[in-house]
Amino acid sequence: MNWKKILGFLIVIAAVVFIGFSVFGPKEKAKVSTVSTTEVKEKTVVETLSTTGKLEPIETQEAYGQGVVSEVNVAVGDTVEKDATLVSYLDGTKLKANFAGTVTALNVKKDEADLSAQTAKPSVSLADLSNLKVAISLSKSDASIVKKDQVVTLRTGNETFKGRVSAIDPVATTTTGATGSDTSLGGTIVFDTPPAGLFAGFEIDADITTNTADNALTIPVEALLYDKENKPFVYTIKKDQAKKVMIETGIQSDNLVQINKGLTKGEKVILTPDDSIKNGTRVTAK
């Protein structure tokens, strides 16, 4: 028996079986990813800027006197009417209230000289604590989008109030602290209705409506992705495959993104796609 021929014959058969199995044998099915989707819809998008402001009286008075004080008619915390006498002096002059309000500071005493001009501390400070405003400080980027008369929602604790931006300072200011300097632009928010139960000096949260788009094409923010060049895109589904679609976005709220270009109403987009989703990945929607 020619063992070489037999061995060669067996090698040929093994090769044929291997090739046949490779071509016609069972194959592992391509992996299919299950994804969540939503449709592109027309909605109203409201863009807001969230910041924190400080409650301050709208109307204040800092009264300065001079001479020897003959009578102090008020104490800190007293409420006074307009034109009420606050402090009297030996020479007959008087400090009077310019409006009805509350005494917030007192720096003079009876029978002593009024040194307010020298110390730069007012003799008496008065504030209308029933009518408050909100002072805000805007960064360079925020200042470019905040405008006078924009609508504001104000929140503190469980209370919500409505207001508007009443003024923006014409010039930014720089303050220096332990960690360096900070430049900001001041602004003022007023309440639509004077609030009750709020105290000057405390902070309050403010959501300023900076832009609104009605009947805009939108997607949830969970569908929005950015490529290496920081260009926005989404994944849609075409023939059971993920398709990368570059888009042009508009304004954005906390949960919606306006779509200016790239998608049409009713198209399905993939929500929160993970790293396994690529262009061409086989997918099935939940």
Side-chain angles (χ1 to χ4, degrees):
M1 180 179 293
N2 191 333
W3 290 103
K4 290 185 178 180
K5 288 184 178 181
I6 293 174
L7 181 60
F9 180 71
L10 292 174
I11 291 173
V12 171
I13 292 176
V16 170
V17 171
F18 176 78
I19 294 172
F21 184 82
S22 299
V23 175
F24 302 104
K27 294 183 177 63
E28 182 182 353
K29 292 184 178 180
K31 184 178 179 181
V32 179
S33 298
T34 302
V35 295
S36 297
T37 63
T38 190
E39 291 185 353
V40 179
K41 298 178 181 179
E42 284 188 354
K43 290 186 177 182
T44 297
V45 184
V46 179
E47 187 175 60
T48 61
L49 169 67
S50 295
T51 187
T52 300
K54 185 179 180 181
L55 290 163
E56 296 180 350
I58 286 181
E59 196 166 16
T60 61
Q61 177 187 356
E62 292 186 341
Y64 291 82
Q66 60 181 2
V68 178
V69 176
S70 61
E71 197 69 43
V72 178
N73 302 308
V74 295
V76 173
D78 286 353
T79 56
V80 299
E81 296 300 320
K82 181 180 179 181
D83 295 326
T85 298
L86 306 174
V87 179
S88 301
Y89 297 86
L90 288 179
D91 62 2
T93 59
K94 297 179 180 180
L95 296 180
K96 292 190 175 185
N98 293 338
F99 53 86
T102 302
V103 177
T104 58
L106 183 64
N107 297 303
V108 293
K109 293 181 180 180
K110 183 179 179 180
D111 298 329
E112 292 185 3
D114 186 338
L115 301 177
S116 58
Q118 290 88 337
T119 62
K121 291 182 179 180
S123 308
V124 185
S125 295
L126 190 69
D128 180 3
L129 300 181
S130 65
N131 199 4
L132 302 177
K133 63 182 180 180
V134 179
I136 56 174
S137 295
L138 303 170
S139 66
K140 183 177 180 180
S141 59
D142 291 344
S144 64
I145 60 175
V146 176
K147 309 295 181 186
K148 185 179 177 181
D149 293 326
Q150 287 175 336
V151 175
V152 183
T153 299
L154 298 147
R155 295 186 179 87
T156 178
N158 295 323
E159 295 185 282
T160 300
F161 308 91
K162 291 297 182 181
R164 63 179 178 83
V165 178
S166 64
I168 299 292
D169 291 350
V171 178
T173 57
T174 300
T175 56
T176 303
T179 58
S181 60
D182 178 65
T183 302
S184 61
L185 187 69
T188 304
I189 297 169
V190 294
F191 292 86
D192 289 346
T193 302
L198 299 184
F199 297 94
F202 282 119
E203 291 186 337
I204 189 169
D205 295 326
D207 295 328
I208 305 171
T209 299
T210 56
N211 211 340
T212 302
D214 296 317
N215 301 318
L217 286 181
T218 67
I219 60 170
V221 293
E222 295 89 348
L224 181 63
L225 298 169
Y226 290 89
D227 62 16
K228 293 180 180 180
E229 298 178 352
N230 203 35
K231 294 182 178 180
F233 71 94
V234 297
Y235 284 114
T236 61
I237 298 179
K238 300 291 184 182
K239 297 181 180 180
D240 298 327
Q241 290 184 337
K243 181 183 178 182
K244 182 178 179 180
V245 178
M246 305 304 297
I247 59 174
E248 182 182 296
T249 61
I251 67 173
Q252 182 174 329
S253 68
D254 289 339
N255 53 9
L256 292 174
V257 179
Q258 180 186 15
I259 302 301
N260 292 335
K261 188 182 296 184
L263 296 172
T264 57
K265 182 179 178 181
E267 277 192 276
K268 288 187 176 181
V269 293
I270 297 176
L271 295 172
T272 58
D274 59 31
D275 293 339
S276 67
I277 305 299
K278 307 292 182 185
N279 192 43
T281 301
R282 291 189 61 190
V283 294
T284 180
K286 289 183 181 178

